[in-house]
């Protein structure tokens, strides 16, 4: 430790650190091309396809009695973990319209990119359910999220608000410079999704994602209580953004922007790396923590 109380980085292996950043974020010459927006959109389409494939597919197999409820609700969390780790740096791995809107309101994602993200997320969810339709046929509502037996729509609605507020709080929190934990942040989202499903699935199906609910509803033709899974997550996302402002102030810092938007934007990866290095060296205070400094 240095005399300032911060870690002594005088012997820090900077070439190795830069190499690790390149491994995490990819080649700058390849990913900084602004004409490669299609990569972001394809990343969201593929990621949402995989998420809904596991989430809705698990719902079908659980309804058929072939896997346990625990397996059905934990599998989507593990899939989100894998998706964030293997392509989160490309698009931010939103996989959810509520996440895209929350990042945009926080200033970590350009509002003009939200419509494209939402469209490909819905397309990815639909393709996943078309695949499930081809494999299983139109059975068990194709894994649709529905209020559980004995529960009213309004009860599922309130549950989706609370669950989504928690999920978005985890996502926005682990993506901020004040609480940035890098790739390990994927574990936070994964753990939350699994834990939420383990206790709340019997009430609402634990969607927290309008796209995840849209695919089964469209392909199966069953729109029962679909409004619950649009209004609930959107209200929950708004609550999470409000909590983030109270806890950490406005977003928009390079680390949060890199987490929300990916690092294809020219210079964003380098800006994120510089800010992280300055925070580690004690040269700057993480955005959102200025008021707590002595």
């Amino acid at each position: 430790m240095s005399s300032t109380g911060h870690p002594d980085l005088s012997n820090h292996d900077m070439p190795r650190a830069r190499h690790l950043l390149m491994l995490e974020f990819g080649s700058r010459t390849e990913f900084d091309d602004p004409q490669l927006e299609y990569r972001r959109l394809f990343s969201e389409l593929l990621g949402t396809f995989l998420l809904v494939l596991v989430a809705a597919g698990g719902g079908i197999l659980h309804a058929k009695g072939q896997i346990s409820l625990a397996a059905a609700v934990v599998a989507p969390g593990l899939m989100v973990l894998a998706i964030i780790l293997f392509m989160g740096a490309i698009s931010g791995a939103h996989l959810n319209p509520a996440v895209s809107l929350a990042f945009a309101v926080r200033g970590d994602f350009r509002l003009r990119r939200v419509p494209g993200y939402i469209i490909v997320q819905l397309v990815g969810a639909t393709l996943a359910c078309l695949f499930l339709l081809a494999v299983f046929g139109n059975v068990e509502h194709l894994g649709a999220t529905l209020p559980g037996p004995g529960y009213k729509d309004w009860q599922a609605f309130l549950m989706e608000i609370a669950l989504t507020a928690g999920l978005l709080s985890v996502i926005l929190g682990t993506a901020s410079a004040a609480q940035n934990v890098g790739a390990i942040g994927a574990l936070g989202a994964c753990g939350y999704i699994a834990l939420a499903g383990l206790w709340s699935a019997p009430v609402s199906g634990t969607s927290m994602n309008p796209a995840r609910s849209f695919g089964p509803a469209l392909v199966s033709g069953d729109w029962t209580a679909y409004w619950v899974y649009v209004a609930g997550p959107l209200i929950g996302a708004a609550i999470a953004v409000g909590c983030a402002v109270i806890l950490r102030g406005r977003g928009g810092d390079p680390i949060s922007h890199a987490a929300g938007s990916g690092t294809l934007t020219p210079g964003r990866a380098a800006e994120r790396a510089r800010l992280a290095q300055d925070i580690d060296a004690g040269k700057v205070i993480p955005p959102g923590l200025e008021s707590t400094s002595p």
Side-chain angles (χ1 to χ4, degrees), residues 5-112:
H6 297 288
D8 183 4
L9 300 180
S10 58
N11 296 321
H12 190 61
D13 188 349
M14 293 305 296
R16 179 176 179 275
R18 293 191 185 96
H19 178 65
L20 290 175
L21 284 171
M22 187 188 75
L23 290 177
E24 181 177 358
F25 295 116
S27 168
R28 287 290 309 282
T29 57
E30 183 177 0
F31 285 126
D32 278 356
D33 187 346
Q35 297 181 0
L36 297 181
E37 175 71 8
Y38 75 92
R39 287 191 170 179
R40 296 187 179 102
L41 297 178
F42 180 75
S43 171
E44 286 297 304
L45 187 149
L46 176 61
T48 309
F49 172 88
L50 294 173
L51 171 59
V52 176
L53 181 69
V54 169
I60 292 173
L61 294 176
H62 169 64
K64 292 166 68 71
Q66 296 179 341
I67 65 173
S68 67
L69 177 61
V73 300
V74 169
L78 295 175
M79 178 57 77
V80 168
L81 171 65
I83 292 169
I84 292 174
L85 291 177
F86 95 84
M87 63 185 186
I90 297 174
S91 67
H94 297 186
L95 318 178
N96 183 339
V99 173
S100 298
L101 287 168
F103 273 128
V105 173
R106 283 282 292 162
D108 300 325
F109 187 69
R110 293 188 184 280
L111 189 61
R112 61 180 174 80

Side-chain angles (χ1 to χ4, degrees), residues 176-218:
S176 73
Q179 189 67 24
N180 185 60
V181 289
I184 300 177
L187 292 174
C190 164
Y192 183 91
I193 292 169
L195 179 60
L198 285 171
W199 77 270
S200 69
V203 180
S204 68
T206 318
S207 173
M208 306 179 286
N209 184 341
R212 183 263 181 265
S213 297
F214 174 83
L218 178 66

